[in-house]
């Protein structure tokens, strides 16, 4: 939501193709809007209302999506905003885990379970995401 100054569009090369730059690293990139997200990208309401957001970001129902997922710059792929979505047994979304393996949730029970997971996770366990997801599933949470 705040990367509009860092991921910029330099030039439109075609109806759904853009030359851009990752400003912080000075890295140019060419991106095509993902075919299944072109209808989302074509609606400019969101970027008009959110001038600080990356120009490639668009709402899609309850989600906010990158419309150049296939061609997004390396730093975006590396960052991985969300690596896990956690829901309760009724399917209500109650938290997300970011690429730095930080839980963002207001649910006290989930926060307690996450603290337990962090305390007990074997440090040699790799990949950590899989272990953490299995831990939460064993506690009755749904993890995507
Ligand atoms: S992941 Fe996509 S929407 Fe997010 S900053 Fe990168 S290019 Fe923009």
């Amino acid at each position: 939501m705040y990367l509009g100054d860092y991921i910029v569009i330099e030039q439109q090369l075609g109806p759904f193709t853009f030359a851009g730059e990752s400003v912080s690293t000075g890295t140019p990139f060419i991106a095509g809007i993902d075919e299944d997200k072109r209808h989302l990208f074509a609606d400019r309401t969101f970027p008009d209302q959110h001038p600080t957001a990356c120009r490639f970001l668009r709402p899609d129902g309850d989600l906010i999506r990158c419309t150049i997922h296939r061609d997004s710059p390396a730093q975006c792929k590396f960052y991985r905003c969300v690596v896990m979505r956690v829901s309760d047994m009724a399917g209500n979304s109650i938290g997300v885990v970011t690429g730095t393996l930080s839980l963002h949730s207001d649910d006290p029970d989930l926060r307690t379970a996450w603290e337990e997971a962090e305390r007990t996770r074997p440090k040699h366990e790799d990949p950590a995401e899989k272990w953490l997801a299995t831990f939460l599933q064993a506690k009755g949470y749904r993890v995507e």
Side-chain angles (χ1 to χ4, degrees):
M1 287 295 293
Y2 300 98
L3 289 177
D5 287 340
Y6 299 96
I7 305 293
V8 300
I9 294 175
E10 298 282 6
Q11 190 181 355
Q12 184 162 4
L13 303 175
F16 292 102
T17 308
F18 296 87
E21 181 181 337
S22 298
V23 175
S24 54
T25 57
T27 310
F29 65 91
I30 303 289
I33 305 299
D34 296 336
E35 285 185 17
D36 62 342
K37 301 187 190 83
R38 290 180 176 179
H39 64 293
L40 301 175
F41 184 82
D43 185 343
R44 305 295 166 116
T45 307
F46 183 83
D48 288 348
Q49 292 175 341
H50 299 86
T52 61
C54 173
R55 301 290 91 186
F56 295 111
L57 205 58
R58 291 291 187 279
D60 181 12
D62 292 340
L63 302 175
I64 298 182
R65 291 188 185 280
C66 172
T67 58
I68 56 165
H69 187 70
R70 185 194 61 191
D71 294 339
S72 61
Q75 67 191 80
C76 296
K77 285 187 163 54
F78 179 74
Y79 181 68
R80 298 191 307 156
C81 312
V82 173
V83 295
M84 262 184 255
R85 295 181 191 280
V86 186
S87 305
D88 61 19
M89 288 308 285
N92 303 305
S93 177
I94 54 173
V96 296
V97 177
T98 60
T100 54
L101 296 184
S102 301
L103 173 72
H104 298 266
S105 173
D106 293 328
D107 186 283
D109 293 335
L110 176 57
R111 292 173 68 90
T112 299
W114 185 258
E115 286 166 12
E116 183 185 346
E118 287 186 318
R119 271 199 318 275
T120 57
R121 178 167 68 87
K123 295 307 172 206
H124 64 275
E125 201 68 32
D126 193 32
E129 286 166 39
K130 189 166 185 289
W131 191 93
L132 290 164
T134 302
F135 182 94
L136 291 178
Q137 286 164 339
K139 292 278 183 187
Y141 294 103
R142 294 183 185 178
V143 180
E144 295 175 73

